[in-house]
């Protein structure tokens, strides 16, 4: 049967073959052979069919109709050229029916020897006694050539088969390894958050025992400490299998993973892009002398050992030292801007209410943005002790042992962040910094604050690796 040539005169076709030899449907729906992007076109608008030895156009009960020469049609025979209007103001389709090819006259050919006859003569089954010497020589040469080709083909088939088997084996191995790593990741995550829950329980027990020296709870503490050691060893084995190990990562990446864990976050579950983001903030520190100047001030004033010892005495990672850097550059006289919570003062930038809650006496210049020697928020030793306790309390309660959540809470304001954090379930698996980023829109200031501190702590582990000319300011653990 003759083919139908199709051309879209008006309208936009998502997919439009131009030549058809079988029935086809024009419409807006994905199954149509010709798909038009027009809201006036029905999902299945019109069908072009071969019936009774001729091509017909049949409307498929379309909403806006199919028109030929201004007349709405149900079924119409197609002449050599037809213009279809799909809806009064819709797309226009031109259909042309190819003319059938005329049969060519056969001219008798001159009698000649065919290729088949030649092959039969030289390579066929003619008896050896009736074949000439040349014919037999050609037959023998052809047999040797065919044997060599057969060997070559089998060799090629063998090589291809080997490659295919290796590829299938490789794919199977990779799929099994991916499944195994997924199981390892789930187990590692389970162990990590079990450790965090155990950590919170231990802190509660230790607090209770501190007030009761002869308490029978001491035995529970010993048992939970043993569990914690076993869990940590298993977790280290699982993370190593996941590739989170110093010998399997670039040094910069390894330090970022390590710092996440030191701050109390699951390094086996780092969000996508976390490492890249930390590196961007490392770049920001490298573009300014601020980090070096602040650490030099802390060293010259002898602040570092006191801050580290006070944090450790409150069971907090010494890397929270960098929180004071971000707050004040270790300047005990600094005063923050006036806010609805009052003026933050001192190296740890306590607002008045939080400072008083943790035993810091405010001075007469409470409402004045000015250094006040009588305000204990400016007292290095007292404010550091208060800050360590405040950080510990946030870590143990609202933050559920998430160090980065503690940092966010410290910056975002005690009242604001608690309402946000308390919307998260109260357990370490669901209440941590990763979950906060996934579920809540935190202010850009707080986001920057957290990542500046992480980046500074990463740099501090090996400053010279990142192009700084000083050593780790924290004492060796």
């Amino acid at each position: 049967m003759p083919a139908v040539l199709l051309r879209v005169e008006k309208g936009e076709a998502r997919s439009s073959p131009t030549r058809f030899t079988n029935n086809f449907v024009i419409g807006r729906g994905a199954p149509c052979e010709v798909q038009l992007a027009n809201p006036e076109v029905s999902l299945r608008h019109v069908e072009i069919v071969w019936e009774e030895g001729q091509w017909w156009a049949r409307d498929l009960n379309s909403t806006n109709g199919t028109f030929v020469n201004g007349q709405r049609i149900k079924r119409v025979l197609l002449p050599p050229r037809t213009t279809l209007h799909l809806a009064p103001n819709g797309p226009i389709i031109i259909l042309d029916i190819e003319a059938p090819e005329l049969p060519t006259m056969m001219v008798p050919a001159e009698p000649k020897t065919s290729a088949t006859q030649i092959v039969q003569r030289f390579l066929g089954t003619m008896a050896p006694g009736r074949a000439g010497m040349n014919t037999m020589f050609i037959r023998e040469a052809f047999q040797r050539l065919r044997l060599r080709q057969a060997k070559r083909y089998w060799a090629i088939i063998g090589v291809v088969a080997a490659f295919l088997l290796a590829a299938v084996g490789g794919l199977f191995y990779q799929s099994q390894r991916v499944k195994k790593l997924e199981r390892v990741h789930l187990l590692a995550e389970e162990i990590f958050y079990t450790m965090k829950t155990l950590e919170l329980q231990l802190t509660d027990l230790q607090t209770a025992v501190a007030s009761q020296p002869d308490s029978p709870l001491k035995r529970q503490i010993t048992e939970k400490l043993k569990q914690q050691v076993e869990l940590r060893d298993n977790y280290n084995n699982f993370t190593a299998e996941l590739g989170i190990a110093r010998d399997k990562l670039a040094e910069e990446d390894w330090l970022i993973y390590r710092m996440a864990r030191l701050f109390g976050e699951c390094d086996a579950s780092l969000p996508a892009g976390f490492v890249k983001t930390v590196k961007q903030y490392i770049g920001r520190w490298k573009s300014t002398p601020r980090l070096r100047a602040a650490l030099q001030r802390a060293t010259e004033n002898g602040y570092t050992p006191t801050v580290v010892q006070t944090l450790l005495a409150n069971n907090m990672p010494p890397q929270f030292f960098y929180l004071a850097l971000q707050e004040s550059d270790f300047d005990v006289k600094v005063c923050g801007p006036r806010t609805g919570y009052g003026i933050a003062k001192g190296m740890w930038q306590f607002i008045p209410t939080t400072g008083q809650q943790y035993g810091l006496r405010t001075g007469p210049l409470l409402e004045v943005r000015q250094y006040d020697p009588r305000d204990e928020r400016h007292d290095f030793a007292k404010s550091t002790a208060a800050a360590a306790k405040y950080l510990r309390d946030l870590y143990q309660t609202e933050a559920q042992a998430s160090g980065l959540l503690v940092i966010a809470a410290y910056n975002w304001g005690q009242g604001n962040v608690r309402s946000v954090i308390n919307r998260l379930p109260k357990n370490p698996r669901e209440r941590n910094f990763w979950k906060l980023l996934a579920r809540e829109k935190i202010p850009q200031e707080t986001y920057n604050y957290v990542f500046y501190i992480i980046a500074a702590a990463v740099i501090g582990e090996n400053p010279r690796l990142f192009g700084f000319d000083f050593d780790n300011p924290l004492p060796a653990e």
Side-chain angles (χ1 to χ4, degrees):
M1 60 181 172
V4 176
L5 304 179
L6 181 146
R7 176 166 56 88
V8 179
E9 181 74 14
K10 174 187 173 184
E12 179 183 356
R14 293 194 183 96
S15 60
S16 176
T18 58
R19 188 175 186 275
F20 295 88
T21 56
N22 292 308
N23 298 354
F24 60 96
V25 176
I26 305 170
R28 184 163 46 85
C32 297
E33 285 78 8
V34 180
Q35 189 179 0
L36 299 169
N38 190 299
E40 295 190 21
V41 177
S42 297
L43 292 175
R44 288 171 54 84
H45 198 105
V46 62
E47 184 180 24
I48 309 302
V49 296
W50 177 261
E51 293 178 350
E52 303 169 3
Q54 300 184 80
W55 284 105
W56 299 76
R58 183 172 62 202
D59 186 81
L60 299 175
N61 296 320
S62 62
T63 302
N64 296 314
T66 304
F67 297 81
V68 176
N69 298 326
Q71 298 295 318
R72 184 165 183 166
I73 60 101
K74 284 292 184 181
R75 183 172 182 267
V76 67
L77 176 66
L78 297 182
R81 166 164 288 198
T82 307
T83 302
L84 294 181
H85 290 253
L86 277 57
N89 297 311
I92 298 176
I93 306 295
I94 305 297
L95 300 175
D96 289 302
I97 299 176
E98 284 185 342
E101 294 182 0
L102 295 175
T104 56
M105 294 183 63
M106 303 300 295
V107 178
E110 292 278 336
K112 60 180 180 181
T113 304
S114 68
T116 301
Q117 290 173 323
I118 294 174
V119 170
Q120 287 178 346
R121 176 180 177 183
F122 288 99
L123 307 177
T125 57
M126 185 182 293
R130 297 180 58 191
M133 184 180 296
N134 289 340
T135 299
M136 294 301 298
F137 177 78
I138 291 173
R139 286 184 182 180
E140 185 179 347
F142 177 74
Q143 291 295 334
R144 288 198 298 270
L145 177 62
R146 186 163 60 180
L147 182 60
R148 285 199 301 270
Q149 286 178 335
K151 291 180 179 179
R152 185 182 304 164
Y153 290 152
W154 280 112
I156 292 172
I157 291 171
V159 171
V160 171
F163 274 118
L164 286 174
L165 286 173
V168 170
L171 289 173
F172 178 76
Y173 171 79
Q174 289 297 329
S175 67
Q176 293 300 110
R177 174 151 180 80
V178 167
K179 290 179 181 178
K180 180 182 178 183
L181 290 177
E182 288 175 351
R183 290 194 298 270
V184 170
H185 176 267
L186 290 174
L187 286 170
E189 196 175 62
E190 183 67 32
I191 290 173
F192 182 86
Y193 288 113
T194 301
M195 285 194 300
K196 301 308 287 183
T197 301
L198 191 60
E199 180 183 346
L200 294 173
Q201 293 172 355
L202 271 168
T203 303
D204 290 339
L205 286 171
Q206 289 165 343
T207 302
V209 168
S211 59
Q212 303 175 28
D214 298 326
S215 172
L217 296 176
K218 284 186 174 181
R219 183 175 179 180
Q220 292 186 36
I221 292 176
T222 302
E223 292 175 355
K224 288 186 181 296
L225 285 171
K226 289 180 180 178
Q227 293 176 27
Q228 198 174 42
V229 171
E230 292 176 2
L231 288 170
R232 185 170 61 245
D233 290 343
N234 287 331
Y235 183 71
N236 289 337
N237 291 334
F238 281 132
T239 52
E241 193 167 349
L242 291 170
I244 306 173
R246 193 164 199 161
D247 59 344
K248 297 180 181 179
L249 291 170
E251 184 68 11
E252 291 184 13
D253 294 354
W254 159 245
L255 289 176
I256 293 171
Y257 274 88
R258 179 173 183 271
M259 198 52 55
R261 193 193 297 192
L262 285 174
F263 273 119
E265 306 299 338
C266 183
D267 50 334
S269 301
L270 288 187
F274 179 81
V275 171
K276 181 179 179 181
T277 301
V278 174
K279 288 182 177 180
Q280 290 172 349
Y281 281 83
I282 289 173
R284 295 187 187 186
W285 278 121
K286 293 170 70 174
S287 67
T288 172
R290 180 187 160 207
L291 178 62
R292 193 183 191 288
L295 292 175
Q296 186 174 351
R297 179 184 289 116
T299 300
E300 291 174 351
N301 288 282
Y303 293 156
T304 308
T306 301
V307 173
V308 170
Q309 291 166 13
T310 306
L311 288 167
L312 289 173
N314 285 273
N315 297 318
M316 296 301 291
Q319 283 74 21
F320 277 97
F321 165 82
Y322 294 99
L323 186 145
L325 180 149
Q326 182 62 16
E327 284 286 349
S328 65
D329 291 340
F330 300 110
D331 184 354
V332 296
K333 296 183 178 181
V334 71
C335 298
R338 187 181 303 277
T339 69
Y341 297 99
I343 299 172
K345 292 190 176 186
M347 190 173 84
W348 295 93
Q349 286 291 279
F350 274 110
I351 59 174
T353 53
T354 307
Q356 292 166 358
Q357 180 183 348
Y358 284 87
L360 299 178
R361 186 177 65 251
T362 54
L365 301 181
L366 180 67
E367 301 295 332
V368 181
R369 194 181 176 197
Q370 180 178 322
Y371 167 65
D372 183 356
R374 291 161 293 185
D375 193 321
E376 290 182 343
R377 291 177 293 169
H378 293 292
D379 184 294
F380 164 69
K382 291 181 179 179
S383 65
T384 297
K389 292 176 183 177
Y390 179 38
L391 292 169
R392 179 198 63 198
D393 289 347
L394 287 174
Y395 186 87
Q396 182 67 18
T397 56
E398 282 86 353
Q400 290 288 284
S402 165
L404 298 187
L405 205 55
V406 169
I407 295 173
Y410 198 99
N411 171 260
W412 199 355
Q414 190 173 0
N416 290 333
V417 77
R418 283 183 174 173
S419 64
V420 174
I421 291 177
N422 286 330
R423 290 202 290 266
L424 302 175
K426 192 175 181 180
N427 65 75
R429 180 185 293 277
E430 299 299 329
R431 187 178 289 192
N432 54 64
F433 188 65
W434 306 154
K435 295 296 183 182
L436 180 69
L437 287 181
R439 299 186 186 184
E440 301 286 345
K441 176 65 175 178
I442 67 175
Q444 187 64 39
E445 176 190 346
T446 300
Y447 186 87
N448 292 338
Y449 181 88
V450 173
F451 277 96
Y452 268 121
I453 291 173
I454 300 171
V458 171
I459 292 170
E461 292 296 293
N462 189 352
R464 298 185 188 280
L465 175 67
F466 299 98
F468 292 90
D469 61 351
F470 54 86
D471 295 320
N472 188 340
L474 300 184
E477 297 180 36

